[in-house]
Amino acid sequence: MESGRETVTQVEQWSVEDRVFRIYNMFASIPPGAQTTLLELQRDEHIKYLNEGLKQLGPSFVALDSSRPWLCYWIIHSMALLGESLDYELENNAIDFLNRCQDPNGGFGGGPGQMPHLATTYAAVNSIVTLGGQKALSSINRDKLYNFLLRMKDPSGAFRMHDAGEIDVRACYTAISVASILNILDDELVRGVGNFILSCQTYEGGIAGEPGSEAHGGYTFCGLAAMILINEVNHLDLAGLIDWVVFRQGVECGFQGRVNKLVDGCYSFWQGGVLALLQRIDLVTGEYLSLFDSGEEDSPGNSTSEGEDTDGISSGAEETCHFKNGEQQDASCSVNYTSSNHTRSLGNVETEPLFHSLALQQYILLCSQLENGGFRDKPGKPRDFYHTCYCLSGLSVCQHCCSKDYDSPSVPGQVLGPYPNLLEPVHPLYNVVLKQYREVREFFSRSRAKLN
Amino acid sequence: MDAEEHILRLSQDPEWADLTPIPQDDGPNPVVPIAYKPDFIETMDYFRAVYKANEFSPRALQLTHQAILLNPGNYTVWHFRRLILDALGIDLNEELNFMLGISERNPKNYQIWHHRRWIAEKLGTDAASKELEFTRRMLSLDAKNYHAWSHRQWVLQALGGWENELDYCHQLLEEDVFNNSAWNQRYFVVTRSPLLGGLEATRESEVKYTIEAILGNPGNESPWRYLRGLYKNDPKSWISDPQVSSVCLKVLSAEANHVFALSTLLDLLSHGFQANQEFRDAVDSLRPSNSDPADSDLAKTICSILRHVDPMRVNYWTWRKSKLPSAVSV
């Protein structure tokens, strides 16, 4: 193996670096006032782009005809991040349309009359949660949805995407996420899924879609979030996972999805979200503390346990980048994993995330954002709703990951560009805005008992 | 065959006269409405009719073909097509031919790969060489196609064909040593091939191979992670194998990207590796003149250097430093 010859990977990488650095060099050469303008989040333009998509899509979108709940989610969630609510009529139209995607036997398909699919079920449920309100939330048939989830469960414990469909970590996450947010997660759904996800963590440290495949940002988010939701995150090699994910942020300031692949704005959420989640995991005990619920009962535990060195890099002598929450819950009540004793835990908070938040915001605002609305993968690519959703979600994660409490306003120094760039905070386990997450928790908090 | 040639005028075709097309139930005011073209609407209206009637017929099979050409992402159509193929007992080798053009136009579509796996599973071991050849072709178009690699791994495990896989990985790495998918495949082969005897049997030659790749491009993350992977679950060998520490030392002493050599040495130290003066000198020579004074703790010094030479991860290296075992002073 010689080092002199240029390979495909190198040529493509240099070409992207060239485009990105040209933008950064231009930015560095202009006066501060003009810099601030360039860093502005083009709210009005984004909202216009999103609204138009919600109302009408061109013929080329036929390629996404089996992903229409995804289109709803990408658009509605983006609007919610921007603090914009839909007008009454559009909201009703969205609820009505998503209901037409709901299968009589549970779950949501890619469009009216299509088979139910776990990914579009996740997208539809998150859309409905984001719309919020009695009419939207009660449109979900939870009993049937639960049956659909059980039907998608493979004997191994993992999930299939649809009847006789593929099994992977995406299916596991989307199943666990909707079950958790709708408060229908139980032992039966959880059984075995953790072992499958565990078998997908690779020698590199990240998580793959299937055992043996390559570590990948999207699957790593799905795997980690699912493991937290089922209270089994301590089974993962967290030190290896952290080391892999921090190295995915490159000289372009954005994240790549895999080693030696190109930067892409959508990984701002997938990889940035992984780091936001890791920030709340106690590496000694493997426990996760959410700051996102309020008004629930205090959990009993807040003790600092002197655990063994589980990760090979921590001594257990001091905790920094995580919170303590001594409460260990079993899987059956894992939907209630979130408890609100954070006021007593804040002394341990490390307010700096393990990635470079300002650099990532710079990539999102200068390289992914288009001034006429929407976001893209990287310079030279066209905008789309998927990248708009995940660039904005990543931006929100950056802006809020340093706040000690998501309820308190973000520190201005953590928001790149003018302070009005500040977006609504998201719940990083589900990627729905926090306000709507709280509403859905409240709405379904006492109805699990009625289900069975 | 071109997509256009296949478009039937179903509503004027006597063969379809018995069937009442079913329009899509989008409601009066749908959101995200797509401006469908007339041929798409007609095809899908008839598809819904055969789907609802569970009609497993040659004409329904042909209709799924047409619907797939118009939108290969429609998993319901693919699913129904499999039901028809089963019911009619169609020769699945024909089906593979049907897949060829669609696959090349949609290499990252989940459905085509799932369909292919379904076919290969039914065809059994006879399909192994054809599937390996097919994935090789797809990987020649994009050597990092995630689906193609997943399919290839499934073929190897389910149908066999391991004989030349290590050579194939070598060939791809010769072409592009930065191809992390090829490194991942190499790991898959050395850990799972029934022919090679597992990690213990292959480690020595693999370490040699990997070190050569590292020395060729010390800034290439892939072989560094691969090297670490070769000692997975065996930290004792990881710190005691002189080849590992010496590649770190070699890179640290050269004009090169030092980040991975430093982070690997840090990892060795955290696992109990005892560094001699040579390592201390090599690390010390990398200390920026304006940095903190040298620490007696080599791991701490490494973290401080990494904070300077790898500013994107400044928080990470600060955190790593704070987690070092000797951090007794608060």
Side-chain angles (χ1 to χ4, degrees), chain A residues 35-46:
Chain A
Q35 288 186 340
T36 307
T37 308
L38 268 189
L39 289 173
E40 233 170 75
L41 185 66
Q42 301 297 321
R43 285 177 176 272
D44 293 347
E45 297 299 324
H46 297 316

PDB file of all heavy atoms in Angstrom, chain A residues 35-46:
ATOM      1  N   GLN A  35     -21.222  39.330   8.685  1.00  0.00           N
ATOM      2  CA  GLN A  35     -21.133  37.966   9.208  1.00  0.00           C
ATOM      3  C   GLN A  35     -22.402  37.601   9.976  1.00  0.00           C
ATOM      4  O   GLN A  35     -22.956  36.520   9.807  1.00  0.00           O
ATOM      5  CB  GLN A  35     -19.922  37.839  10.137  1.00  0.00           C
ATOM      6  CG  GLN A  35     -18.592  37.864   9.401  1.00  0.00           C
ATOM      7  CD  GLN A  35     -17.421  37.587  10.323  1.00  0.00           C
ATOM      8  OE1 GLN A  35     -17.531  37.744  11.545  1.00  0.00           O
ATOM      9  NE2 GLN A  35     -16.299  37.194   9.746  1.00  0.00           N
ATOM     10  N   THR A  36     -22.839  38.544  10.804  1.00  0.00           N
ATOM     11  CA  THR A  36     -24.051  38.289  11.591  1.00  0.00           C
ATOM     12  C   THR A  36     -25.236  38.021  10.669  1.00  0.00           C
ATOM     13  O   THR A  36     -26.043  37.131  10.921  1.00  0.00           O
ATOM     14  CB  THR A  36     -24.354  39.498  12.504  1.00  0.00           C
ATOM     15  OG1 THR A  36     -23.179  39.789  13.251  1.00  0.00           O
ATOM     16  CG2 THR A  36     -25.502  39.213  13.448  1.00  0.00           C
ATOM     17  N   THR A  37     -25.314  38.792   9.602  1.00  0.00           N
ATOM     18  CA  THR A  37     -26.411  38.591   8.651  1.00  0.00           C
ATOM     19  C   THR A  37     -26.351  37.192   8.040  1.00  0.00           C
ATOM     20  O   THR A  37     -27.372  36.515   7.898  1.00  0.00           O
ATOM     21  CB  THR A  37     -26.336  39.646   7.525  1.00  0.00           C
ATOM     22  OG1 THR A  37     -26.255  40.940   8.135  1.00  0.00           O
ATOM     23  CG2 THR A  37     -27.546  39.579   6.615  1.00  0.00           C
ATOM     24  N   LEU A  38     -25.133  36.771   7.699  1.00  0.00           N
ATOM     25  CA  LEU A  38     -24.997  35.448   7.080  1.00  0.00           C
ATOM     26  C   LEU A  38     -25.372  34.321   8.036  1.00  0.00           C
ATOM     27  O   LEU A  38     -25.845  33.268   7.620  1.00  0.00           O
ATOM     28  CB  LEU A  38     -23.559  35.225   6.610  1.00  0.00           C
ATOM     29  CG  LEU A  38     -23.210  35.610   5.182  1.00  0.00           C
ATOM     30  CD1 LEU A  38     -21.822  35.105   4.846  1.00  0.00           C
ATOM     31  CD2 LEU A  38     -24.224  35.023   4.188  1.00  0.00           C
ATOM     32  N   LEU A  39     -25.155  34.568   9.332  1.00  0.00           N
ATOM     33  CA  LEU A  39     -25.454  33.525  10.325  1.00  0.00           C
ATOM     34  C   LEU A  39     -26.918  33.514  10.737  1.00  0.00           C
ATOM     35  O   LEU A  39     -27.334  32.677  11.523  1.00  0.00           O
ATOM     36  CB  LEU A  39     -24.577  33.727  11.573  1.00  0.00           C
ATOM     37  CG  LEU A  39     -23.085  33.409  11.420  1.00  0.00           C
ATOM     38  CD1 LEU A  39     -22.331  33.827  12.680  1.00  0.00           C
ATOM     39  CD2 LEU A  39     -22.867  31.925  11.136  1.00  0.00           C
ATOM     40  N   GLU A  40     -27.665  34.463  10.202  1.00  0.00           N
ATOM     41  CA  GLU A  40     -29.078  34.529  10.571  1.00  0.00           C
ATOM     42  C   GLU A  40     -29.849  33.313  10.069  1.00  0.00           C
ATOM     43  O   GLU A  40     -29.685  32.888   8.928  1.00  0.00           O
ATOM     44  CB  GLU A  40     -29.699  35.773   9.929  1.00  0.00           C
ATOM     45  CG  GLU A  40     -30.414  36.686  10.879  1.00  0.00           C
ATOM     46  CD  GLU A  40     -30.772  37.991  10.165  1.00  0.00           C
ATOM     47  OE1 GLU A  40     -31.730  37.939   9.367  1.00  0.00           O
ATOM     48  OE2 GLU A  40     -30.095  39.010  10.386  1.00  0.00           O
ATOM     49  N   LEU A  41     -30.696  32.792  10.936  1.00  0.00           N
ATOM     50  CA  LEU A  41     -31.597  31.734  10.522  1.00  0.00           C
ATOM     51  C   LEU A  41     -32.723  32.376   9.704  1.00  0.00           C
ATOM     52  O   LEU A  41     -33.404  33.284  10.191  1.00  0.00           O
ATOM     53  CB  LEU A  41     -32.162  31.050  11.771  1.00  0.00           C
ATOM     54  CG  LEU A  41     -33.050  29.831  11.566  1.00  0.00           C
ATOM     55  CD1 LEU A  41     -32.249  28.683  10.975  1.00  0.00           C
ATOM     56  CD2 LEU A  41     -33.663  29.411  12.904  1.00  0.00           C
ATOM     57  N   GLN A  42     -32.903  31.926   8.476  1.00  0.00           N
ATOM     58  CA  GLN A  42     -33.875  32.568   7.580  1.00  0.00           C
ATOM     59  C   GLN A  42     -35.288  32.037   7.873  1.00  0.00           C
ATOM     60  O   GLN A  42     -35.873  31.306   7.068  1.00  0.00           O
ATOM     61  CB  GLN A  42     -33.497  32.313   6.122  1.00  0.00           C
ATOM     62  CG  GLN A  42     -32.109  32.819   5.754  1.00  0.00           C
ATOM     63  CD  GLN A  42     -31.992  34.334   5.898  1.00  0.00           C
ATOM     64  OE1 GLN A  42     -32.911  35.072   5.573  1.00  0.00           O
ATOM     65  NE2 GLN A  42     -30.862  34.799   6.407  1.00  0.00           N
ATOM     66  N   ARG A  43     -35.783  32.391   9.046  1.00  0.00           N
ATOM     67  CA  ARG A  43     -37.047  31.831   9.516  1.00  0.00           C
ATOM     68  C   ARG A  43     -38.190  31.937   8.507  1.00  0.00           C
ATOM     69  O   ARG A  43     -38.869  30.963   8.198  1.00  0.00           O
ATOM     70  CB  ARG A  43     -37.494  32.526  10.807  1.00  0.00           C
ATOM     71  CG  ARG A  43     -36.726  32.118  12.004  1.00  0.00           C
ATOM     72  CD  ARG A  43     -37.169  32.888  13.235  1.00  0.00           C
ATOM     73  NE  ARG A  43     -36.449  32.374  14.389  1.00  0.00           N
ATOM     74  CZ  ARG A  43     -36.866  31.358  15.127  1.00  0.00           C
ATOM     75  NH1 ARG A  43     -38.015  30.776  14.868  1.00  0.00           N
ATOM     76  NH2 ARG A  43     -36.139  30.917  16.133  1.00  0.00           N
ATOM     77  N   ASP A  44     -38.403  33.151   8.019  1.00  0.00           N
ATOM     78  CA  ASP A  44     -39.548  33.362   7.135  1.00  0.00           C
ATOM     79  C   ASP A  44     -39.432  32.505   5.878  1.00  0.00           C
ATOM     80  O   ASP A  44     -40.415  31.933   5.403  1.00  0.00           O
ATOM     81  CB  ASP A  44     -39.662  34.843   6.753  1.00  0.00           C
ATOM     82  CG  ASP A  44     -40.016  35.695   7.968  1.00  0.00           C
ATOM     83  OD1 ASP A  44     -40.409  35.104   8.998  1.00  0.00           O
ATOM     84  OD2 ASP A  44     -39.889  36.933   7.890  1.00  0.00           O
ATOM     85  N   GLU A  45     -38.221  32.428   5.352  1.00  0.00           N
ATOM     86  CA  GLU A  45     -38.020  31.641   4.132  1.00  0.00           C
ATOM     87  C   GLU A  45     -38.233  30.154   4.401  1.00  0.00           C
ATOM     88  O   GLU A  45     -38.819  29.434   3.587  1.00  0.00           O
ATOM     89  CB  GLU A  45     -36.611  31.876   3.573  1.00  0.00           C
ATOM     90  CG  GLU A  45     -36.330  33.303   3.153  1.00  0.00           C
ATOM     91  CD  GLU A  45     -37.257  33.783   2.032  1.00  0.00           C
ATOM     92  OE1 GLU A  45     -37.593  32.954   1.162  1.00  0.00           O
ATOM     93  OE2 GLU A  45     -37.660  34.965   2.050  1.00  0.00           O
ATOM     94  N   HIS A  46     -37.742  29.695   5.540  1.00  0.00           N
ATOM     95  CA  HIS A  46     -37.925  28.277   5.873  1.00  0.00           C
ATOM     96  C   HIS A  46     -39.414  27.950   6.032  1.00  0.00           C
ATOM     97  O   HIS A  46     -39.903  26.944   5.520  1.00  0.00           O
ATOM     98  CB  HIS A  46     -37.173  27.919   7.158  1.00  0.00           C
ATOM     99  CG  HIS A  46     -35.683  28.084   7.041  1.00  0.00           C
ATOM    100  ND1 HIS A  46     -34.973  27.665   5.942  1.00  0.00           N
ATOM    101  CD2 HIS A  46     -34.767  28.646   7.879  1.00  0.00           C
ATOM    102  CE1 HIS A  46     -33.684  27.946   6.116  1.00  0.00           C
ATOM    103  NE2 HIS A  46     -33.540  28.553   7.281  1.00  0.00           N
TER     104      HIS A  46
END
